[in-house]
């Protein structure tokens, strides 16, 4: 993650200091719109992806293969957030990195719009790379707009920024999903490219309002480090090219030759990163203790995201094949289900924020461990609820759309209980040495969860089977119970973090 240096005091007229966007620096409007359009393109493509993969007019793959591709893609996006932060820290700085990211994402969506299976996977790769570069840095640039962490406008600025994320996520399936499903799949992907192009254009036009701090490369590579990095990158790129050329020309290549290595990396790299930090002898005893507590939260989050992200794959594919997707007799596109979560986030996030504050005033706010336990139980409950429409479909009937809306509602409640709390506790428990990297470590929990789903799908596990769904639900509830049972131990390990 990019370094969070504090900005020097600004004087009136300094770019980025004008209070013109809901009482916030004008640069927030630039970042708000950039993130809104980027999320519009990302969530629109994400809503179409599993449906396109199984559609007769798309790639016509099996549900298991589609789920594997979808899960591996999500895993890769979050895995690349860590090197995305490193790239801004050491090479380009946040502002230029985000500009490059937007261009790469746009190119990726344009590549997806080409009616060719080979270029389709290349497009997915480009979108994943661009999203990793952008995800790690744009939030850091929001922080740069304010005069340090104690600026009273800071929390409100991030709240406004979060609204932009969910506005884009809400609108995307309604627009891109409708065009993709009802008109042409590739036109839908092209609309995602258009969305990113609009976001990139206004970012470049409005970048003069951003903090000058966003141009800084906090810890630039020396000439020797650049040469070493280029040599290593070239070596591993050559190894990959030679390996896949041999596999391809020998006639043994299948999609699993691509999916399996990424999936394994998505499981191994998070473990390696956490282990490296935990074993760092430069950390003092208090930091070591906090990292031991953080492992509990990391594993819990991985279990949570493993189930949660199946809302866009397992549940969406079930809706495509076995649900009655109608409201008062009017049929709506399956991709519209992906708008349920963001609209509920916007509706209920203020309620949760108010509830935590109200409980805190009375000294009754649940601890971080208890909130994580609640999130795990809720995500497990969502899959217990999923058993009902699965049973209806097994009986030869179409499940009502409201069953699926109910699943997304329960998952949203779980997300609001766990995700914002996880982001907060990550920043609070980060060892000083790794302060700028820990948000990338948090994203690795998503990587591990999605990689697990991908591995199950690659192994041929039918994730829409009643027994498998029930097993995952039980796993989440047991994980939540374990966190709750050991909450006092975790609290002790957290030290002075509340």
């Amino acid at each position: 993650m990019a370094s969070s240096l504090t900005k020097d005091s600004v004087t009136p007229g300094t770019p980025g200091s004008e209070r013109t966007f809901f009482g916030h620096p004008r640069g927030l409007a630039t970042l708000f719109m950039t993130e809104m359009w980027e999320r519009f393109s990302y969530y629109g493509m994400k809503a179409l992806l599993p449906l396109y993969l199984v559609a007769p007019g798309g790639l016509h793959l099996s549900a298991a293969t589609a789920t594997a591709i979808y899960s591996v893609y999500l895993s890769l996006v979050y895995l690349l957030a860590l090197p995305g932060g490193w790239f801004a820290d050491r090479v380009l700085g946040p502002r230029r990195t985000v500009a490059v990211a937007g261009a790469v994402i746009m190119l990726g969506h344009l590549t997806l719009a080409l009616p060719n299976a080979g270029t389709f996977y290349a497009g997915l790769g480009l979108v994943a790379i661009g999203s990793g570069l952008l995800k790690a840095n744009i939030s850091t640039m929001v922080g740069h707009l304010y005069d340090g962490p104690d600026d009273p406008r800071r929390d409100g600025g991030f709240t406004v920024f979060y609204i932009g994320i969910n506005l884009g996520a809400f609108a995307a399936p309604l627009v891109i999903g409708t065009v993709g499903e009802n008109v042409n799949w590739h036109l839908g992907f092209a609309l995602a490219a258009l969305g990113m192009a609009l976001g990139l254009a206004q970012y470049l036009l409005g970048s003069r309002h951003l903090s000058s701090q966003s141009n800084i490369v906090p810890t630039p590579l020396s000439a020797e480090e650049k040469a070493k990095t280029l040599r290593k990158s070239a070596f591993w790129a050559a190894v990959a090219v030679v390996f896949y050329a041999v596999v391809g020309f020998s006639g043994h290549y299948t999609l699993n030759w691509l999916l399996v290595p990424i999936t394994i990396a998505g499981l191994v790299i998070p473990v390696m990163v956490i282990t490296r930090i935990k074993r760092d002898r430069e950390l003092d005893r208090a930091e070591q203790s906090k990292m031991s507590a953080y492992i509990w939260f990391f594993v819990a989050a991985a279990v949570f995201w493993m189930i949660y992200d199946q809302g866009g794959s397992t549940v969406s594919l079930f809706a495509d094949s076995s649900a009655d997707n109608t409201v008062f007799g009017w049929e709506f596109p399956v991709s519209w289900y992906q708008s349920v979560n963001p609209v509920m986030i916007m509706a209920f996030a203020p309620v949760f924020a108010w509830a935590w504050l109200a409980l805190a005033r009375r000294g009754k706010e649940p601890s971080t461990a208890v909130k994580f336990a609640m999130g795990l139980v809720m995500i497990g409950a969502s899959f217990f609820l999923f058993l009902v429409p699965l049973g209806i479909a097994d009986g030869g009937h179409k499940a009502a759309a409201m069953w699926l809306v109910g699943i997304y509602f329960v998952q949203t409640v779980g997300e609001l209980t766990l995700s914002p709390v996880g982001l907060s506790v990550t920043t609070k428990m980060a060892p000083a040495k790794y302060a700028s990297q820990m948000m990338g470590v948090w994203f690795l929990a998503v990587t591990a969860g999605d990689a697990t789903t991908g591995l199950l799908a690659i192994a041929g596990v039918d994730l829409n089977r009643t027994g498998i769904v029930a097993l995952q639900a039980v796993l989440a509830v047991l994980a939540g119970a374990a966190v709750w049972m050991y909450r006092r131990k975790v609290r002790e390990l957290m030290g002075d973090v509340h």
Side-chain angles (χ1 to χ4, degrees), residues 104-180:
V104 172
I105 292 170
M106 182 180 67
L107 179 60
H109 287 306
L110 287 173
T111 307
L112 289 174
L114 299 174
N116 183 285
T119 57
F120 180 83
Y121 295 113
L124 279 183
L126 288 170
V127 175
I129 292 168
S131 297
L133 288 170
L134 187 139
K135 184 177 289 293
N137 294 294
I138 194 164
S139 295
T140 299
M141 294 171 66
V142 174
H144 288 166
L145 296 171
Y146 300 94
D147 192 13
D150 296 326
D151 189 321
R153 302 170 297 167
R154 187 183 180 95
D155 286 351
F158 275 98
T159 300
V160 173
F161 180 71
Y162 194 62
I163 291 171
I165 293 173
N166 284 285
L167 279 175
F170 168 70
L174 304 180
V175 178
I176 295 174
T178 302
V179 172

Side-chain angles (χ1 to χ4, degrees), residues 78-329:
Y78 287 93
L79 181 64
L80 291 171
L82 201 60
W86 176 91
F87 190 77
D89 272 353
R90 308 299 309 273
V91 183
L92 281 185
R95 185 184 298 189
R96 283 177 291 177
T97 299
V98 168
V100 170
V104 172
I105 292 170
M106 182 180 67
L107 179 60
H109 287 306
L110 287 173
T111 307
L112 289 174
L114 299 174
N116 183 285
T119 57
F120 180 83
Y121 295 113
L124 279 183
L126 288 170
V127 175
I129 292 168
S131 297
L133 288 170
L134 187 139
K135 184 177 289 293
N137 294 294
I138 194 164
S139 295
T140 299
M141 294 171 66
V142 174
H144 288 166
L145 296 171
Y146 300 94
D147 192 13
D150 296 326
D151 189 321
R153 302 170 297 167
R154 187 183 180 95
D155 286 351
F158 275 98
T159 300
V160 173
F161 180 71
Y162 194 62
I163 291 171
I165 293 173
N166 284 285
L167 279 175
F170 168 70
L174 304 180
V175 178
I176 295 174
T178 302
V179 172
E181 286 190 65
N182 295 340
V183 182
N184 181 277
W185 295 107
H186 298 285
L187 183 58
F189 294 127
L191 276 180
L194 176 62
M196 190 64 253
L198 291 171
L200 180 60
Q202 69 81 38
Y203 174 78
L204 295 174
L205 290 172
S207 61
R208 67 185 184 278
H209 300 298
L210 301 177
S211 167
S212 59
Q213 185 182 347
S214 297
N215 264 330
I216 296 172
V217 181
T219 53
L221 292 171
S222 65
E224 182 181 348
E225 288 175 318
K226 283 182 181 178
K228 185 178 179 181
T229 301
L230 286 172
R231 284 197 302 269
K232 281 186 176 181
S233 301
F235 172 76
W236 288 111
V239 169
V241 168
V242 171
F243 175 79
Y244 282 104
V246 171
V247 172
F249 286 120
S250 66
H252 291 92
Y253 179 81
T254 65
L255 190 58
N256 281 349
W257 281 99
L258 181 63
L259 297 180
V260 171
I262 297 174
T263 304
I264 293 173
L267 291 171
V268 172
I269 291 175
V271 174
M272 290 175 61
V273 170
I274 290 285
T275 302
R276 178 173 61 85
I277 297 174
K278 185 70 179 69
R279 290 183 175 178
D280 190 335
R281 294 184 179 181
E282 293 183 16
L283 303 187
D284 60 33
R285 180 174 295 181
E287 290 175 324
Q288 286 283 358
S289 179
K290 290 173 184 175
M291 282 306 302
S292 295
Y294 189 74
I295 290 172
W296 280 85
F297 299 129
F298 186 91
V299 174
V303 174
F304 178 89
W305 296 116
M306 178 187 74
I307 297 176
Y308 177 91
D309 276 342
Q310 289 183 58
S313 55
T314 305
V315 180
S316 183
L317 292 173
F318 172 84
D320 187 40
S321 62
S322 304
D324 179 18
N325 305 309
T326 60
V327 175
F328 302 116

Side-chain angles (χ1 to χ4, degrees), residues 470-489:
L471 183 62
Q472 292 181 83
V474 169
L475 172 65
V477 172
L478 289 177
V483 172
W484 185 83
M485 287 172 61
Y486 286 92
R487 65 193 184 281
R488 291 186 178 87
K489 175 64 175 176

